[in-house]
Each structure stands twice: as C-alpha cells, then as structure tokens.
C-alpha cells in the first residue's frame, strides 16, 4: 500500500491500525449503500439516501471501509464526522457544486495539477479532487493540524495509494509558532484555535506551500474555522503572483459577506458561485 508523504518524507501506516477492508460492510448492506450513491440528486433521492443510511448502519457502530469516490478509499466515521456521514450514503449530494467547480479547474489546468486542501479534515476533498482528475497528473497538499484527523487523513490517503499528496501537519496562521486547537465532540470537522486544548504548530500558508515545492496553485479549498482572514491577508500580501490560486473555494455560510471574501475581491477575485456553505471564486481574466 502506497503511503502519503508528511513534509516530503514517506510515512508508514500507524502500528495497530486495522487494514482497509477490515471494517467493510456485509455484501448486502454494501450493495444497498452503493444503490444510494446511484440515485441522482432529486429531492426523493435525498430522502431515500437518508433512509438507506439508517438501514445500512442499523445495529452496527462504525467505522466503515468504503469506496468514497471512484477509485478512492476511505474509512468513514459517520457518527463522529458530518462530512463522513454525508459521503457514506449519498455522496452525490456532498458539496457537489464545489466539487464540480474543482473538477472543471483540475481538468482545464496544465499538467501536473496543483491543489491545496487547507483544513483537510480526513481528506475527503483531496480524495474527491483525485477522482475528478480522472488520471491526470496531480500534486496535492493536504493541511491538517488535529492529530486524530491527521491519522484518519493519512490512513485514507494510504488506502487510496495517494503518493501524489503531501501532508502538512500544521495549523495555518499569519506567523510561525504554536497554538492550541479545540475540537467539537459532535463533529470532528469543527476545529478551532483556542486558549486551551491540543498544542499544535502554526505556520503561514505561503511557507507551507513553498515547502511543498508548488510553483503555482490551480485550486485552493480553504476551510479553517474562522482564521481565513488573517491567513489570506498574510498570503495575499506576500505571495508572488505566480502562486495566487486560479480557483478558491472558501467557507462563507448562507451567503455571508465575510472579511476574507473582501480580501479576495480586493485581490481581483470574482465570486463565480455561492452555495449554502461556501463561496467559489476565480481570478479575473487577464490577471
């Protein structure tokens, strides 16, 4: 099994972690789960996926080893992580507009494609982009500071043979140092810098991208729970033009006009699409 790299150094699977497949669903339940993935995105399909999810997990406690996206394996924890829950049965509904925009950006970019997943969680966005690339050469950078999420991220990448992904185990800020990270007990995807918690290293986005050796960024997904403005301000103030992302997907819930969006607009980005949770921006033509 290929392993992802951490800071450019190949990493091994953690000792004592069950191999992918050890948490597979029984065949009949897996067939039902896959049926949910084939239902399309209509209203009735959404309701059917919710029912199927409950049936498939009835009497069982996760995790579950599944093919999350075509060719991409993941160990999902639906009871602990909202993104895992949504992808587990009915992945076609999970951030599909954002994924479509990223897929278009990936397929129209030069080779290799450079993708940065800032706030990678367990790696589902990175895996989705790998699936959207459809075999096109890709280099991805997955940034995730939380030790538990980091372990799950590395497992999912290794299970998918994602040796084209570099993992940076840091939180993002506008300076280098350390900080404390707190996690939500209800959803492991909700992490935030806090006054107490797990101590983690922090670094500016530009430093992390440069350490990964990226000459450009074709697409950036930024979901870092409230520090987007300070991270983007430092990045936009110091990054050379060549490193400014062509496409940005950033959290901006329910059409909110955030300081981070204002920074991107000032840097000649234009909002192309809004979803319930995110904004999708592209650099203005000719920039």
């Amino acid at each position: 099994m290929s392993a992802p790299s951490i800071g450019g150094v190949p990493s091994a699977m953690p000792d004592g972690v069950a191999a992918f497949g050890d948490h597979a669903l029984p065949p009949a339940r897996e067939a039902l789960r896959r049926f949910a993935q084939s239902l399309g995105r209509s209203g009735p399909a959404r309701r059917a996926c919710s029912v199927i999810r409950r049936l498939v997990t009835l009497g069982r406690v996760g995790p579950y080893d599944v093919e999350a996206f075509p060719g991409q394996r993941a160990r999902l924890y639906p009871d602990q992580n909202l993104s895992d829950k949504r992808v587990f049965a009915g992945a076609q509904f999970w951030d599909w507009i954002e994924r479509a925009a990223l897929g278009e950006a990936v397929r129209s970019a030069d080779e290799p494609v450079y993708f940065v997943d800032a706030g990678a969680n367990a790696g589902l966005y990175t895996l989705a982009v790998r699936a959207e690339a459809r075999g096109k050469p890709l280099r991805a950078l997955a940034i995730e500071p939380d030790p538990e999420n980091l372990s799950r991220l590395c497992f999912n990448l290794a299970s998918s043979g994602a040796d084209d992904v570099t993992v940076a185990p840091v939180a993002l800020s506008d300076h280098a140092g350390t900080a404390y990270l707190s996690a939500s007990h209800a959803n492991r995807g909700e992490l935030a810098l806090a006054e107490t918690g797990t101590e983690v290293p922090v670094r500016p986005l530009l430093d992390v991208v440069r350490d990964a050796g990226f000459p450009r960024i074709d697409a950036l997904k930024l979901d870092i729970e409230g520090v987007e403005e300070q991270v983007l301000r430092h990045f936009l103030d110091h990054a050379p033009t060549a490193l400014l992302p062509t496409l940005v997907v950033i959290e901006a819930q329910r059409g909110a006009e955030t300081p981070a969006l204002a920074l991107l607009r000032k840097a000649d980005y234009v909002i192309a699409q809004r979803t319930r949770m995110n904004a999708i921006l592209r650099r203005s033509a000719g920039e």
Side-chain angles (χ1 to χ4, degrees), residues 241 244-248 264-272 281-287:
T241 301
L244 296 181
T246 302
L247 181 84
V248 177
L264 288 166
R265 285 196 182 97
K266 187 176 179 180
D268 297 309
Y269 284 85
V270 175
I271 294 179
L281 301 98
R282 292 184 172 88
R283 292 193 70 209
S284 298
E287 293 298 324

Side-chain angles (χ1 to χ4, degrees), residues 24 28 41 46 66 105 141 184 283:
R41 286 194 295 267
R46 184 184 293 274
V66 302
L141 170 61
S184 166
R283 292 193 70 209

Side-chain angles (χ1 to χ4, degrees), residues 99-114 129 132-134 136-138 216-219 245-247 282:
R99 288 160 49 201
L102 288 167
E104 179 183 350
V106 163
R107 292 188 292 275
S108 63
D110 293 336
E111 297 183 3
V113 178
Y114 292 90
V129 167
E132 291 285 352
R134 300 174 188 173
K136 188 172 184 177
L138 170 75
R216 67 177 192 277
I217 301 173
D218 295 304
T246 302
L247 181 84
R282 292 184 172 88

Side-chain angles (χ1 to χ4, degrees), residues 21 23-31 33 56-57 60 63-66 88:
H23 292 288
L25 288 161
R29 295 199 185 199
E30 174 61 14
R33 188 194 70 84
V56 168
T57 58
R60 294 176 61 93
Y64 306 95
D65 292 346
V66 302
F88 175 71

Side-chain angles (χ1 to χ4, degrees), residues 57-243:
T57 58
L58 185 66
R60 294 176 61 93
V61 177
Y64 306 95
D65 292 346
V66 302
E67 184 181 56
F69 309 104
Q72 309 301 313
R73 296 170 161 186
R75 177 164 290 167
L76 301 181
Y77 296 76
D79 60 330
Q80 300 178 17
N81 190 310
L82 182 58
S83 292
D84 284 16
K85 178 179 179 180
R86 294 174 64 196
V87 168
F88 175 71
Q92 65 269 31
F93 293 104
W94 178 70
D95 289 7
W96 69 272
I97 295 174
E98 294 89 337
R99 288 160 49 201
L102 288 167
E104 179 183 350
V106 163
R107 292 188 292 275
S108 63
D110 293 336
E111 297 183 3
V113 178
Y114 292 90
F115 171 63
V116 176
D117 187 354
N121 198 339
L124 293 180
Y125 254 95
T126 295
L127 294 180
V129 167
R130 292 188 84 240
E132 291 285 352
R134 300 174 188 173
K136 188 172 184 177
L138 170 75
R139 286 192 60 194
L141 170 61
I143 305 170
E144 175 56 47
D146 177 65
E148 180 61 32
N149 284 347
L150 183 66
S151 176
R152 297 178 185 185
L153 165 68
C154 289
F155 179 88
N156 291 340
L157 295 177
S159 298
S160 299
D163 53 5
D164 50 5
V165 180
T166 296
V167 176
V170 301
L172 295 176
S173 186
D174 56 3
H175 64 279
T178 60
Y180 293 102
L181 192 70
S182 67
S184 166
H185 294 294
N187 177 16
R188 288 215 61 86
E190 294 180 1
L191 298 161
L193 296 180
E195 294 184 359
T196 61
T198 302
E199 188 173 14
V200 296
V202 297
R203 299 190 67 203
L205 175 60
L206 180 58
D207 292 358
V208 179
V209 170
R210 281 176 165 164
D211 282 355
F214 279 27
R216 67 177 192 277
I217 301 173
D218 295 304
L220 164 69
K221 174 233 135 184
L222 193 65
D223 182 1
I224 49 178
E225 301 299 328
V227 293
E228 289 86 356
E229 180 187 8
Q230 68 186 72
V231 168
L232 278 175
R233 187 179 298 279
H234 182 276
F235 182 80
L236 294 171
D237 283 349
H238 295 90
T241 301
L243 273 180

